[in-house]
Amino acid sequence: MGSIWPSACFWQVKFKGLLALVRAYYFKARRTGSCPKFNRLADAESKHRAKTSKRADAIHHVRHRAALDAAAEYGNILEDLYHRNLSCRSEKMRGFNQIRQSRESVCRSIRVKSTDMSMRRRESQQRARTLSLEADCNRDQRLELEELHRHLWDICGCPADSEHFFPLLHPRG
């Protein structure tokens, strides 16, 4: 079987610079399975396309320039509006700041009042707890003293005035 190329000399002579391109297209087509295309534009067509692309680039440049000018003009309008509206916005912010400060002072006073009330409540609870513990302690001491008096009265006898107890110098024995 012969070469797929008619003759290497024929291609080299007739299409000097195109041989490498044709081979690349052939191998690409073989690899992908699709038929290769190799189109070469005529000189008139390539000139027409170059002229059209230059015209399109010029139109794009003009439109781009117009868009930039419009954006700059819009930026100037926005800046002018910003500076005209600045005093109104600063007054509005001052009003908001005063409202915020009054809210904070109200919240602060409520916090202080609630803290004072909770401290007073805790102090009164602590005082009540302390008084309760002292009363329990006094009751326990009084009960212990009464028990001690009863024990002494049982052993030594009841005192004369029922309040004081003077122990005997010589216990009974």
Side-chain angles (χ1 to χ4, degrees), residues 149 153 156-168:
H149 274 253
W153 289 343
C156 302
C158 197
D161 58 1
S162 298
E163 287 186 18
H164 300 88
F165 179 78
F166 299 104
L168 297 172

Side-chain angles (χ1 to χ4, degrees), residues 127-143:
R127 207 174 311 117
R129 200 175 301 125
T130 303
L131 291 174
S132 172
L133 289 175
E134 286 177 358
D136 288 346
C137 184
N138 289 340
R139 185 175 49 84
D140 289 344
Q141 287 176 354
R142 194 182 57 207
L143 290 175

Side-chain angles (χ1 to χ4, degrees), residues 143-154:
L143 290 175
E144 187 178 346
L145 185 63
E146 287 178 3
E147 187 178 326
L148 181 62
H149 274 253
R150 252 185 263 115
H151 177 67
L152 286 174
W153 289 343
D154 288 343

Side-chain angles (χ1 to χ4, degrees), residues 55-158:
R55 189 179 314 130
D57 288 343
I59 291 171
H60 175 72
H61 179 70
V62 167
R63 287 181 181 163
H64 180 69
R65 197 82 205 106
L68 287 178
D69 292 342
E73 184 179 346
Y74 183 68
N76 291 337
I77 290 171
L78 286 180
E79 187 175 347
D80 186 40
L81 284 174
Y82 173 80
H83 289 297
R84 267 193 265 150
N85 200 13
L86 192 59
S87 63
C88 179
R89 284 186 302 166
S90 65
E91 289 298 322
K92 188 176 178 181
M93 288 299 125
R94 283 190 194 115
F96 285 152
N97 194 18
Q98 288 175 352
I99 291 170
R100 186 180 306 118
Q101 287 175 349
S102 66
R103 281 185 192 152
E104 287 176 356
S105 66
V106 167
C107 290
R108 193 177 313 117
S109 66
I110 289 172
R111 271 196 310 268
V112 167
K113 287 178 184 176
S114 66
T115 305
D116 287 344
M117 289 178 64
S118 65
M119 284 177 45
R120 286 186 199 131
R121 186 177 64 242
R122 275 185 262 152
E123 287 174 356
S124 66
Q125 287 174 349
Q126 183 65 33
R127 207 174 311 117
R129 200 175 301 125
T130 303
L131 291 174
S132 172
L133 289 175
E134 286 177 358
D136 288 346
C137 184
N138 289 340
R139 185 175 49 84
D140 289 344
Q141 287 176 354
R142 194 182 57 207
L143 290 175
E144 187 178 346
L145 185 63
E146 287 178 3
E147 187 178 326
L148 181 62
H149 274 253
R150 252 185 263 115
H151 177 67
L152 286 174
W153 289 343
D154 288 343
I155 293 176
C156 302
C158 197

Side-chain angles (χ1 to χ4, degrees), residues 11-89:
W11 282 97
Q12 288 173 356
V13 172
K14 187 88 171 159
F15 305 102
K16 265 187 174 168
L18 300 177
L19 184 62
L21 293 173
V22 171
R23 283 186 180 162
Y25 273 105
Y26 169 75
F27 287 114
K28 181 179 178 187
R30 190 149 182 213
R31 188 173 54 244
T32 60
S34 62
C35 182
K37 286 187 190 177
F38 189 79
N39 297 324
R40 184 169 179 199
L41 297 175
D43 290 337
E45 182 67 23
S46 63
K47 286 179 185 176
H48 176 69
R49 286 192 181 185
K51 184 178 173 184
T52 306
S53 68
K54 282 181 186 177
R55 189 179 314 130
D57 288 343
I59 291 171
H60 175 72
H61 179 70
V62 167
R63 287 181 181 163
H64 180 69
R65 197 82 205 106
L68 287 178
D69 292 342
E73 184 179 346
Y74 183 68
N76 291 337
I77 290 171
L78 286 180
E79 187 175 347
D80 186 40
L81 284 174
Y82 173 80
H83 289 297
R84 267 193 265 150
N85 200 13
L86 192 59
S87 63
C88 179
R89 284 186 302 166

